[in-house]
Amino acid sequence: MTRKGKEVVISTSLNHNSAEDVEEEGGFDHSKINGRPFSPFPSFSSRNASSKYDFVKVKVWLGENADHCYVLSRFLLSRMLTVTKIPNHVAIKIALELKKLLIDNSLLDVSQSDLEANLFKLMERRGYGEEYINHYKMMTRFHYQRVPLVILVCGTACVGKSTIATQLAQRLNLPNVLQTDMVYELLRTSTDAPLASTPVWAREFSSSEELITEFCRECRIVRKGLAGDLKKAMKDGKPIIIEGIHLDPSIYLMDEENKLPAKMPEKSETNTVSVSLDDDPARQLENNSVSEKNTENSNCTTGYLTSEEGKSVNLVNKVVDSQESIDKAGSISDSKGETIKDLEGDRKTSVSLKSGPEPIIIPIVLKMAEFDHKALLEEWISTRSFSDKCPAEDKDRSITNLKIIQDYLISFKSQGLTVANISATTFPQTLDWLHGYLLQSIEQGISSVSSENGRQPAQN
């Protein structure tokens, strides 16, 4: 290799098996454990895989005048590379190769541009070319612009919400994952919020409309419990993943000031999958383009399919009318979708989605095949603390209620939400697709932010 300024020109004759040599310097082959294949996205224990190169500091200078610098961390760099969908064990090797390259060529002070130039060459040499490089540049812009990101993982019990949220947080290097179940219990036990100890799906209701009305009411209370975290995310531009059953997508997609849906990333035609093979992982995802003609929005629902008859039932009027009579926890939302306030009713703590850059809100609804889901629910309900007091018919009612809530959540598919079918046989492929879908949505979101910023100076 030769040096050109502070950029190292990597010769094409460089041994392609240098990764193994890198491992001998203290790295670790995460592709196998005890001779057995391992997931390309394991828990990130690579921080403990030290190398002699970790004892040498490389300063990376930022800005045109090189006013600020940071110390290169191959651990953090490898985490950034996994965001681009590069497998973790390969990302670790690339990060160590880069630091080895810089230190061996006495480049202990390097600019950010030179660092990235050498990094991209190492990525290309390993077969991770333009697509992955573009993902890296895009995520760098995303963090630099501090665009608020809210990922909603919705669904009923036993569909894999926590697993999906945790895996996506790990892949995208997002540290903040909130669970609505914990917020619900905290509000129920520590405040005077009107929340019952028995879950909404385990109670008896006279109709589906009454069930959905109560579900929406509880979702609003939980939403107010999340107000502080969401406000901080919007103000500081920090990404956050929220998962749990108490997630009504319509609440988070409503713009508080204009009473209009918040802008969601548009879906490209390539995301709409139509496959006849049941075992094809692409079939796991049901996507629809966002319609430009929005129907009337409500904080509860637009239309929803019953599980047995498959007929479209419009619950808007009934649910909204009922909400006005059961609003006991401050200013919940009226039929026109007014602003949601915090538990004390102070408007200052309400989260305005219009403050700062336009937030990127990505709701995902998870579902499972009815037979598999019912089997999991029966096992899960039998382990609940209150199950001994519930006869068999009550368990059947709980499963029916959960199905009604699931159908309500899936009804938002008509408004452009992504519905992902979860299956144990194709879970890795589904997770990989969701990873790519989120990258695409983030890219569309920051592109719209950049275009808006470009229009503002022209208007001024």
Side-chain angles (χ1 to χ4, degrees), residues 19-30 46 48-54 74 89 92-93 96:
E20 285 68 24
D21 298 333
V22 170
E23 292 173 11
E24 294 178 359
E25 297 294 348
F28 181 72
D29 185 5
H30 287 263
S46 58
N48 298 325
S50 62
S51 166
K52 67 181 183 181
Y53 291 97
D54 292 335
R74 67 183 182 92
H89 68 283
I92 293 172
K93 295 175 183 178
L96 184 54

Side-chain angles (χ1 to χ4, degrees), residues 216 220 248 250-251 254 297-301 320 332-338 340 408 412:
C216 290
R220 286 185 174 81
D248 183 355
S250 65
I251 298 176
M254 291 296 295
N297 288 281
S298 167
N299 282 345
C300 295
T301 181
V320 173
I332 301 179
S333 190
D334 67 5
S335 60
K336 296 181 180 179
E338 289 189 2
I340 299 171
Y408 164 70
F412 288 96

Side-chain angles (χ1 to χ4, degrees), residues 241-299:
I241 298 179
I242 305 176
E243 66 90 3
I245 188 174
H246 286 94
L247 283 178
D248 183 355
S250 65
I251 298 176
Y252 299 83
L253 296 178
M254 291 296 295
D255 180 88
E256 295 183 348
E257 296 179 0
N258 300 324
K259 311 299 183 296
L260 294 174
K263 187 173 184 180
M264 288 193 305
E266 296 180 356
K267 299 180 183 178
S268 63
E269 295 180 357
T270 57
N271 286 338
T272 304
V273 181
S274 177
V275 184
S276 59
L277 297 178
D278 291 338
D279 57 350
D280 194 311
R283 181 151 167 51
Q284 295 291 318
L285 300 151
E286 304 173 10
N287 308 302
N288 289 294
S289 331
V290 179
S291 174
E292 295 181 357
K293 297 181 180 179
N294 291 321
T295 57
E296 293 184 3
N297 288 281
S298 167
N299 282 345

Side-chain angles (χ1 to χ4, degrees), residues 77 80 84 119-120 132-140:
L77 178 60
M80 188 66 178
T84 70
L119 173 63
F120 297 157
Y132 298 87
I133 293 174
N134 289 337
H135 284 162
Y136 183 93
K137 293 179 179 179
M138 180 268 295
M139 291 303 297
T140 300

